[in-house]
Amino acid sequence: SSDVCSSDLPRIDPALAGLIPSNTTLMAGARLEVLRKAPIYDKALAHRSIPQVDQFTTRIGINQKDLWELLYVSNGKSGAILGHGMFSDEGEPKLQQRNDNRFGYKGFTLVGNEINAILLINQTVLAMGDTDELRAMVDAHEKSAGPPKAMADLIARIPAAAQVWGAYGGGQLASFDSKGNLANINKILSLIQTGTLYLQVSNDVSGGISGVAEGASPSDQAAEQLESGLRGMIGLGQISTSAKQPQLSKVWDGLRTSRENREVTLRINEPGDAVDSLLDLLLGRVGK
């Protein structure tokens, strides 16, 4: 049937779902607990710094293994990261830093200041980010309706097994500070009206990564520009990869674009031996 059953959604943890403000236009999730069980994790990911995860665990003061799931939520102007994990045995983590204040909002405690803070929800749920967005999360908590319908419809297109995913429902997007091959990414993003992305790490020993990014453009012309922008980025990547980097060549070869009217699709199929190079491209090289 065409009804979306809630189990078809990538599992937005019920503990986090009720904290999503109704004006949300951008969401991204990482199911870290599931990801750690994939064979590729120890080989390619465990020793890497993932800035968003590091920032969260450092500020909260917990071990990364105690963080199960992260969910980023934004309205295009302000945003915050929700985390689900084992944060505290004492009932309240020691979060206070220099210049931090404790203040209350509708019965919840925030630690920080008027610009950014940490919101203490319970022993296993915390949020960190723009104070405006954290207050909106408390407001949402009173209604507890889950993602707004437009976002829920986009998320419904993402397979439940995806460990990393994102959905963009339109409106403002913060620009990326990117250089090199990815420098065109801001122009590419500006041509997308709504979009989804997911990555699925294989559970077998070969440990490849597959995924799909889909973007709908406001017009056929914009979709054409979007597709040619993506093709150009892939082509440039292929040309600028030297013969000494066969793994990086595989990364670019694992990307395929197609277009149907205003919808542009990027398919991602990376074999296990190209995953390290893909992560170098996305997260920066690891000093080995």
Side-chain angles (χ1 to χ4, degrees):
S1 80
S2 63
D3 289 346
V4 174
C5 146
S6 62
S7 65
D8 296 337
L9 298 180
R11 199 201 57 188
I12 294 182
D13 202 304
L16 307 180
L19 292 156
I20 299 164
S22 59
N23 64 351
T24 298
T25 54
L26 180 65
M27 290 171 66
R31 297 166 60 197
L32 302 170
E33 197 180 19
V34 181
L35 203 51
R36 284 187 202 107
K37 291 176 185 154
I40 193 87
Y41 183 83
D42 287 336
K43 202 167 79 181
L45 267 166
H47 60 289
R48 282 177 184 276
S49 166
I50 302 169
Q52 293 78 356
V53 178
D54 289 354
Q55 205 183 348
F56 193 91
T57 51
T58 307
R59 178 74 174 88
I60 306 295
I62 62 158
N63 187 311
Q64 295 213 355
K65 289 188 173 66
D66 291 333
L67 186 58
W68 308 326
E69 187 151 349
L70 281 180
L71 179 68
Y72 175 73
V73 178
S74 168
N75 58 21
K77 294 186 180 70
S78 58
I81 292 182
L82 281 159
H84 193 201
M86 188 43 68
F87 295 129
S88 155
D89 297 327
E90 302 92 56
E92 201 174 284
K94 298 173 179 61
L95 297 171
Q96 211 122 356
Q97 292 187 348
R98 224 156 45 107
N99 304 329
D100 272 353
N101 296 307
R102 276 171 184 269
F103 52 102
Y105 181 66
K106 294 186 175 178
F108 286 85
T109 300
L110 289 97
V111 179
N113 55 46
E114 279 304 319
I115 297 160
N116 45 57
I118 291 168
L119 169 65
L120 312 180
I121 295 150
N122 56 43
Q123 290 185 8
T124 60
V125 181
L126 288 176
M128 178 180 99
D130 297 322
T131 305
D132 287 351
E133 185 74 1
L134 297 176
R135 286 195 170 111
M137 285 178 171
V138 173
D139 296 343
H141 187 262
E142 297 182 328
K143 303 179 190 73
S144 186
K149 187 181 182 313
M151 293 301 291
D153 290 349
L154 286 171
I155 294 166
R157 299 167 65 160
I158 297 167
Q163 296 105 330
V164 177
W165 59 272
Y168 165 62
Q172 211 172 341
L173 261 185
S175 62
F176 282 81
D177 178 18
S178 47
K179 297 166 188 70
N181 269 331
L182 302 177
N184 288 329
I185 209 146
N186 290 320
K187 178 160 193 286
I188 287 169
L189 289 173
S190 72
L191 296 163
I192 299 174
Q193 201 171 29
T194 61
T196 56
L197 160 75
Y198 71 85
L199 293 172
Q200 209 164 324
V201 177
S202 146
N203 280 323
D204 61 37
V205 185
S206 69
I209 290 182
S210 60
V212 175
E214 289 183 308
S217 291
S219 66
D220 285 8
Q221 190 187 1
E224 253 173 64
Q225 285 182 315
L226 174 59
E227 193 197 15
S228 63
L230 284 169
R231 284 216 169 126
M233 192 167 83
I234 295 165
L236 195 65
Q238 284 165 327
I239 293 162
S240 61
T241 302
S242 77
K244 292 176 193 152
Q245 300 168 289
Q247 266 35 53
L248 190 53
S249 269
K250 276 189 187 174
V251 170
W252 295 110
D253 293 345
L255 302 174
R256 292 263 178 285
T257 60
S258 60
R259 179 173 78 86
E260 199 173 312
N261 304 325
R262 290 170 21 195
E263 293 263 340
V264 176
T265 302
L266 174 68
R267 284 193 170 72
I268 303 154
N269 272 303
E270 302 293 354
D273 59 356
V275 168
D276 251 341
S277 298
L278 174 69
L279 293 169
D280 284 348
L281 196 67
L282 296 173
L283 298 170
R285 205 164 284 262
V286 175
K288 289 198 176 126

